């Protein structure tokens, strides 16, 4: 098994740089996928209330030989739950579903600036309570743009421990990631392989061929060398194992720059724009 580096967060806690995500994994497949990941050696699982599989993530961790504190668990506040009193109930429910008395990291899933009168600040203050009472070891945000982060900095006392944003070779989201670097907010890269879209790119295929690695490993290694935290999703055991092997090789001089050059800017974005996204379930 290869060792995974930890990234130190601004609150003193540490997060394993590599994990696995469970977005779009049906609850009926989640215990199996997470169990394969834990057997492979992953110690970091990224779920969300919105994914509908927190319960199965908890089940898989309990079914493993591992102690709770050996696995880093992230979940996220759903979009319908931003009002502070609702957020408090939703966080209780997340812990109940997982079957744990704490999460390692809890995130506001989307800023939703067009909803709730644009008020994500009171939501963040509710998150600060979860950190203060120890039930969320760290708190962070997801899909926050620079102006959203600046508002939290101006109006609250806690700097988010991470910002989880869409980031892959075709959409490198450089301004938001650079803001994070400058303000002690590590970047978590969601859809790190753009749900497979970047894997047929000839530049990536050529590097993979040269290094004797797969395109997914090359892309994930590129993230790691940029210092990003990654948690690719897969339900396929061979891919779960493939995506694990990122710390026994390096890109060669010029390779990372060649991947950097694939950035398509805004045209490469695959998911919704955080300034406009206003989906609330139910
Ligand atoms: N905060 C947010 O708003 C947000 C949004 C999206 C995602 N996320 C998080 O980020 C995680 C990862 O993002 P994602 O799930 O959108 O996409 P992703 O990890 O970029 O890609 C997943 C897709 O790629 C395939 N795949 C995985 N490994 C592969 C490999 N080695 N070779 C070929 N294909 C491979 C998977 O197929 P199979 O499963 O069929 O193997 C799946 O279709 C999510 O699970 C979630 O935890 C967060």
């Amino acid at each position: 098994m290869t060792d995974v580096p930890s990234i130190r967060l601004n609150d003193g806690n540490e997060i394993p740089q590599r994990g696995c995500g469970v977005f779009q994994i049906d609850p009926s497949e989640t215990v199996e996928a997470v169990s394969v990941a834990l057997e492979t050696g992953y110690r970091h699982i990224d779920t969300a209330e919105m994914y509908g599989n927190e319960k199965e993530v908890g089940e898989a961790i309990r079914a493993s030989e591992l102690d709770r504190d050996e696995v880093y668990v992230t979940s996220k506040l759903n979009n319908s739950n931003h009002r502070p009193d609702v957020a408090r109930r939703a966080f209780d429910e997340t812990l109940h579903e997982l079957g744990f008395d704490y999460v390692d990291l809890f995130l506001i899933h989307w800023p939703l600036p067009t909803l709730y009168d644009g008020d994500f600040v009171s939501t963040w203050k509710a998150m600060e309570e979860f950190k203060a009472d120890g039930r969320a070891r760290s708190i962070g945000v997801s899909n926050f743009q620079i102006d959203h982060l600046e508002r939290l900095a101006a109006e609250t006392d806690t700097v988010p421990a991470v910002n989880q944003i869409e980031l892959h070779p075709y959409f490198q989201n450089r301004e938001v990631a650079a803001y994070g670097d400058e303000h002690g907010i590590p970047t978590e890269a969601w859809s790190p392989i753009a749900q497979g879209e970047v894997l047929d790119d000839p530049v990536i295929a050529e590097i993979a061929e040269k290094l004797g690695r797969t395109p997914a490993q090359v892309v994930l290694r590129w993230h790691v060398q940029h210092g990003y935290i990654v948690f690719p999703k897969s339900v396929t055991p061979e891919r779960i194992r493939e995506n694990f092997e990122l710390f026994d090789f390096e890109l060669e001089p010029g390779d990372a720059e060649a991947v950097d050059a694939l950035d398509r800017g805004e045209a490469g974005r695959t998911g919704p724009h955080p300034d406009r996204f206003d989906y609330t379930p139910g």
Side-chain angles (χ1 to χ4, degrees):
M1 191 191 296
T2 48
D3 284 337
V4 56
S6 284
I7 298 213
R8 183 170 285 274
L9 305 176
N10 60 36
D11 59 9
N13 294 328
E14 293 193 354
I15 182 170
Q17 192 177 9
R18 171 208 54 213
C20 64
V22 296
F23 177 43
Q24 292 174 327
I25 303 188
D26 191 85
S28 66
E29 290 184 286
T30 304
V31 173
E32 177 62 18
V34 173
S35 298
V36 171
L38 295 174
E39 280 157 25
T40 303
Y42 289 86
R43 295 292 179 263
H44 169 184
I45 313 291
D46 184 274
T47 184
E49 187 198 335
M50 198 187 286
Y51 305 165
N53 54 20
E54 290 170 310
K55 182 163 167 281
E56 290 74 16
V57 167
E59 258 175 59
I61 294 170
R62 271 188 300 284
S64 76
E65 301 286 294
L66 299 162
D67 292 335
R68 168 67 188 90
D69 64 3
E70 292 179 273
V71 186
Y72 193 98
V73 178
T74 298
S75 195
K76 315 187 188 85
L77 183 74
N78 210 342
N79 291 350
S80 39
N81 301 333
H82 276 214
R83 294 272 183 232
D85 53 336
V86 183
R88 290 182 196 107
R89 285 198 295 275
F91 183 55
D92 290 346
E93 185 59 20
T94 276
L95 293 179
H96 176 75
E97 285 289 297
L98 286 164
F100 298 142
D101 54 10
Y102 72 95
V103 286
D104 295 279
L105 178 62
F106 197 56
L107 308 180
I108 298 183
H109 206 147
W110 287 89
L112 307 176
T114 65
L115 300 181
Y116 302 102
D117 306 316
D119 174 22
F120 46 76
V121 172
S122 64
T123 315
W124 184 244
K125 289 183 176 169
M127 302 279 287
E128 288 178 320
E129 296 169 17
F130 311 152
K131 162 102 177 129
D133 69 24
R135 294 182 304 151
R137 297 277 159 91
S138 296
I139 53 171
V141 294
S142 179
N143 299 300
F144 272 46
Q145 299 283 85
I146 292 171
D147 58 321
H148 306 141
L149 295 167
E150 283 176 336
R151 200 162 148 213
L152 291 188
E155 297 181 39
T156 75
D157 296 328
T158 309
V159 179
V162 301
N163 188 17
Q164 184 177 126
I165 55 175
E166 181 179 347
L167 200 161
H168 47 73
Y170 290 164
F171 181 60
Q172 297 185 21
N173 219 338
R174 288 189 185 148
E175 290 79 14
V176 180
Y179 179 95
D181 281 346
E182 286 155 21
H183 294 83
I185 309 172
T187 294
E188 297 193 323
W190 66 250
S191 290
I193 57 173
Q195 300 205 337
E197 216 180 280
V198 298
L199 301 182
D200 293 330
D201 189 282
V203 170
I204 290 166
E206 194 183 318
I207 298 169
E209 173 78 23
K210 180 183 68 171
L211 298 179
R213 294 285 170 161
T214 67
Q217 287 173 327
V218 166
V219 174
L220 294 168
R221 180 69 209 180
W222 170 84
H223 282 283
V224 163
Q225 290 188 199
H226 272 289
Y228 304 140
I229 298 157
V230 280
F231 26 83
K233 170 265 175 184
S234 180
V235 292
T236 314
E238 307 81 66
R239 290 174 172 176
I240 293 173
R241 291 192 274 272
E242 174 186 328
N243 297 343
F244 185 78
E245 301 298 338
L246 307 180
F247 298 100
D248 58 347
F249 77 107
E250 287 182 9
L251 301 183
E252 290 177 350
D255 292 345
E257 292 76 4
V259 179
D260 289 346
L262 299 176
D263 190 17
R264 297 174 180 175
E266 201 48 48
R269 190 191 287 277
T270 63
H273 194 295
D275 283 341
R276 294 184 289 278
F277 190 56
D278 62 359
Y279 166 76
T280 52

